[in-house]
Amino acid sequence: MATGRQIDTDMLSDEIFDVLCSMCTNDGRNTEGKKYCVHCHDYFCVRCVKVHSKVPLCAGHKVLDKSQVKSGTSKAMPRAPAERCDRHSHKHIDMYCQNHDNVGCSTCMAVDHRLCKDTFYIPEFIQNNTYQVESRDLQTKLKEIAKTLEKQVDKFKLDKQRLLKRKAEILADIRKFRQEINDQLDKLEKSSIDEIESRVKCLEDRIEDSLKQLLATKSRIRSANDKLTSTNTNHSEVFVNVKMGEHAVNVANKYIKHAKIKSTIENIEFQPDRTILTQLEQKKTLGTLSEQSTKTADNLFLLTQLEQKKTLGTLSEQHTKTADNLFQIKGNQSYYVKVKSDNNSCDIMSACCMEDGTIILADFSNNKLKRLHSYNYTVTDYCDLPDWPYQVCMINNTQVAVTVPSKKKVHFISLERNMKTTNKINTDFDCFRLAYANNNLYISDSSSTVYMYTLSGRKIRKFSKDQSGHKLFDI
């Protein structure tokens, strides 16, 4: 992006020279451009053309005398954009793919758009096409998105404060209950504290991850808005900034909708194990003294009961206390599931496990379904989707289904050889959660209604309440 004092080169050319040296003009000096670079589409004076030729990237450019250039050439070709590519920092964003309505450098086009038919050099595209760049409406959208993101950030910060406050309250309850029993229960107290610390740390990390994504998206929105605000008369520059701003808006809208869907914190409660206190109240002493200094059966029974307890109580996330946990985590490990074509950090919305151990992941932020190897959990294949996926479920050994809420569609993905979409079901609602049973699909909307579909896409029925008249669930 050009900086410094701007000069009306059209006015100067009428009064002083036919054409001006572009490098001198950027420095605020008026020098006649006697040389013309075919690749840069710029005029240079005798001194500046030597500097131009010494730049490694410009060493092979073709330079002509001004007399060899057709009349009007200086105004016929717009200047190339100065914006650098995020992926290939040594390249400028000077290419446009009309098929995907996306801009990038020449390397991006060679890698990601090599099969696209309509890719253009941006100055030539602007020269040959009538394109009106409107940035005012986009600036308004960027400002609105920034405000929405700010509200989401404040909400997550408030959730974190509430979570930490609840953590302190639960720790206080644990210590208070500990004092009601006996000073000899230090081990149970420590176990209870460790459990709440672990649970809160897990929830706190989840909020921190969401905050990082929102803050990063907010930064991109602010950057895009600043670039549009400071854009000069270089239409190529404005074109690039508009496209990058539109991309930033699309990404931000995804995260905003994602943040509204995902639950921020769990409602955790501490339920003390009152049986410990009851057993202690029933005991008159911890044991009996005998002349042989041996423990009585009653004392051994009390110690056995305490040793069988792991904590002072149980932690509940739904205000209910369960006798035992059905599942217990024995360990965890992180795996890298990002592929080269991913433009964002992976955000796994859902997953399903096939009968052979293969795992299918729904990557929300990169609009992909990814297949993981059943042994080393590396990505062996993936399938692009038109927008962010939400719920994936298994249909059979060679096929899965996934919901795409923004498109109101369910995609059927074949797992034979390369992953690809084989069929789609169109719905008239934002389809989120998905399940398959008895040859039928059960699809939920954004409220509490479940729709039953056949695999061919015929709607059979819908229901939103159980037999007692209560809602089935809330998303």
Side-chain angles (χ1 to χ4, degrees):
M1 184 180 294
T3 58
R5 183 162 59 93
Q6 303 295 318
I7 298 177
D8 190 342
T9 56
D10 290 336
M11 179 184 70
L12 292 177
S13 62
D14 292 337
E15 296 179 358
I16 303 177
F17 302 116
D18 292 335
V19 290
L20 296 175
C21 171
S22 61
M23 294 177 66
C24 292
T25 301
N26 290 336
D27 291 337
R29 294 181 285 106
N30 300 334
T31 308
E32 182 179 5
K34 295 184 177 182
K35 300 289 184 179
Y36 178 74
C37 177
V38 176
H39 295 79
C40 298
H41 304 288
D42 276 330
Y43 281 88
F44 301 96
C45 64
V46 176
R47 184 181 62 179
C48 291
V49 77
K50 295 179 180 179
V51 177
H52 165 271
S53 300
K54 291 181 179 179
V55 177
L57 293 177
C58 302
H61 289 192
K62 185 177 181 180
V63 178
L64 304 175
D65 289 332
K66 182 177 69 174
S67 60
Q68 297 176 279
V69 183
K70 295 181 180 180
S71 177
T73 301
S74 61
K75 298 180 182 180
M77 180 68 73
R79 293 179 60 188
E83 189 72 26
R84 292 280 184 177
C85 178
D86 291 336
R87 295 171 59 189
H88 313 98
S89 58
H90 61 291
K91 296 291 187 69
H92 290 91
I93 299 178
D94 56 0
M95 299 295 293
Y96 172 56
C97 174
Q98 195 172 24
N99 299 116
H100 292 89
D101 193 25
N102 194 12
V103 295
C105 68
S106 57
T107 303
C108 289
M109 294 299 151
V111 174
D112 299 331
H113 302 272
R114 61 182 180 274
L115 299 180
C116 299
K117 296 181 179 179
D118 300 319
T119 57
F120 304 94
Y121 180 54
I122 290 176
E124 292 178 354
F125 179 81
I126 295 176
Q127 182 188 34
N128 298 327
N129 296 271
T130 302
Y131 185 83
Q132 185 68 26
V133 178
E134 293 291 344
S135 61
R136 184 172 300 176
D137 292 341
L138 182 57
Q139 286 180 330
T140 301
K141 292 180 181 178
L142 291 170
K143 290 179 181 178
E144 291 175 353
I145 291 294
K147 291 180 180 178
T148 305
L149 289 172
E150 185 65 32
K151 292 180 180 179
Q152 289 292 330
V153 170
D154 292 341
K155 182 178 182 298
F156 277 110
K157 288 181 178 179
L158 181 60
D159 286 343
K160 182 179 178 180
Q161 293 176 357
R162 290 174 177 173
L163 176 65
L164 295 177
K165 180 181 179 181
R166 188 63 189 137
K167 168 189 171 181
E169 292 173 351
I170 292 176
L171 292 177
D173 291 341
I174 292 174
R175 294 188 177 98
K176 180 180 179 180
F177 185 66
R178 168 67 181 82
Q179 292 300 320
E180 294 176 0
I181 302 175
N182 195 277
D183 292 339
Q184 299 298 320
L185 301 177
D186 290 336
K187 183 178 180 180
L188 297 184
E189 179 188 27
K190 183 178 183 303
S191 297
S192 297
I193 294 175
D194 288 345
E195 183 176 352
I196 182 59
E197 290 284 2
S198 177
R199 187 73 59 86
V200 170
K201 180 63 169 60
C202 179
L203 297 176
E204 188 177 2
D205 289 344
R206 186 185 305 174
I207 293 177
E208 287 292 344
D209 290 341
S210 298
L211 272 174
K212 288 179 182 178
Q213 290 182 345
L214 285 171
L215 291 173
T217 305
K218 179 183 175 184
S219 177
R220 287 195 293 269
I221 289 294
R222 186 187 298 112
S223 175
N225 186 48
D226 292 343
K227 289 179 181 178
L228 285 172
T229 303
S230 61
T231 301
N232 56 20
T233 57
N234 184 344
H235 292 298
S236 298
E237 189 89 24
V238 175
F239 179 85
V240 170
N241 289 331
V242 166
K243 293 303 176 184
M244 296 180 69
E246 290 174 347
H247 178 69
V249 168
N250 292 334
V251 173
N253 278 326
K254 287 184 181 180
Y255 280 121
I256 290 172
K257 195 167 185 177
H258 186 201
K260 291 180 179 178
I261 295 172
K262 291 181 69 175
S263 175
T264 55
I265 63 172
E266 307 289 348
N267 190 18
I268 56 177
E269 295 289 338
F270 174 70
Q271 301 291 336
D273 188 349
R274 292 290 176 181
T275 60
I276 298 176
L277 188 58
T278 301
Q279 290 175 2
L280 290 175
E281 290 173 348
Q282 292 174 351
K283 304 294 180 182
K284 294 182 179 180
T285 64
L286 292 176
T288 58
L289 294 175
S290 67
E291 295 181 357
Q292 300 296 327
S293 300
T294 58
K295 297 180 180 179
T296 64
D298 185 62
N299 189 27
L300 290 174
F301 175 78
L302 176 61
L303 290 177
T304 301
Q305 291 293 312
L306 292 176
E307 288 172 355
Q308 291 176 351
K309 302 292 183 182
K310 294 183 178 180
T311 63
L312 293 175
T314 58
L315 290 175
S316 171
E317 296 181 358
Q318 300 295 333
H319 297 285
T320 58
K321 181 172 67 174
T322 58
D324 297 296
N325 293 327
L326 294 178
F327 299 96
Q328 184 176 3
I329 298 175
K330 294 184 177 180
N332 63 79
Q333 189 170 349
S334 299
Y335 295 93
Y336 188 81
V337 296
K338 193 170 185 179
V339 297
K340 290 184 178 179
S341 59
D342 288 347
N343 295 322
N344 304 298
S345 298
C346 297
D347 188 357
I348 306 305
M349 178 61 68
S350 62
C352 73
C353 185
M354 309 300 291
E355 292 182 356
D356 61 355
T358 300
I359 297 176
I360 307 298
L361 303 178
D363 190 342
F364 170 88
S365 57
N366 292 297
N367 302 341
K368 287 183 176 68
L369 277 189
K370 298 178 178 178
R371 174 161 50 188
L372 298 188
H373 195 279
S374 58
Y375 295 103
N376 54 17
Y377 300 106
T378 59
V379 179
T380 59
D381 194 11
Y382 66 89
C383 175
D384 289 308
L385 295 170
D387 209 336
W388 51 274
Y390 192 82
Q391 181 81 52
V392 59
C393 75
M394 182 179 72
I395 302 298
N396 53 49
N397 291 335
T398 60
Q399 189 179 47
V400 296
V402 60
T403 56
V404 183
S406 63
K407 301 297 183 181
K408 299 181 179 181
K409 295 180 184 293
V410 175
H411 285 239
F412 292 88
I413 308 299
S414 172
L415 303 180
E416 293 181 326
R417 298 183 180 178
N418 295 329
M419 297 175 65
K420 62 180 180 180
T421 300
T422 57
N423 191 21
K424 302 173 187 176
I425 289 180
N426 295 317
T427 66
D428 54 359
F429 57 91
D430 295 337
C431 46
F432 284 93
R433 290 185 169 87
L434 176 69
Y436 173 76
N438 300 324
N439 295 322
N440 291 319
L441 286 174
Y442 296 84
I443 311 169
S444 72
D445 59 15
S446 58
S447 58
S448 62
T449 303
V450 174
Y451 299 82
M452 183 188 297
Y453 276 80
T454 65
L455 292 181
S456 62
R458 181 172 61 88
K459 186 190 296 184
I460 302 176
R461 59 175 295 196
K462 70 174 183 178
F463 39 91
S464 59
K465 297 181 179 180
D466 58 21
Q467 295 180 350
S468 60
H470 296 93
K471 286 186 177 181
L472 294 175
F473 58 86
D474 289 317
I475 294 183

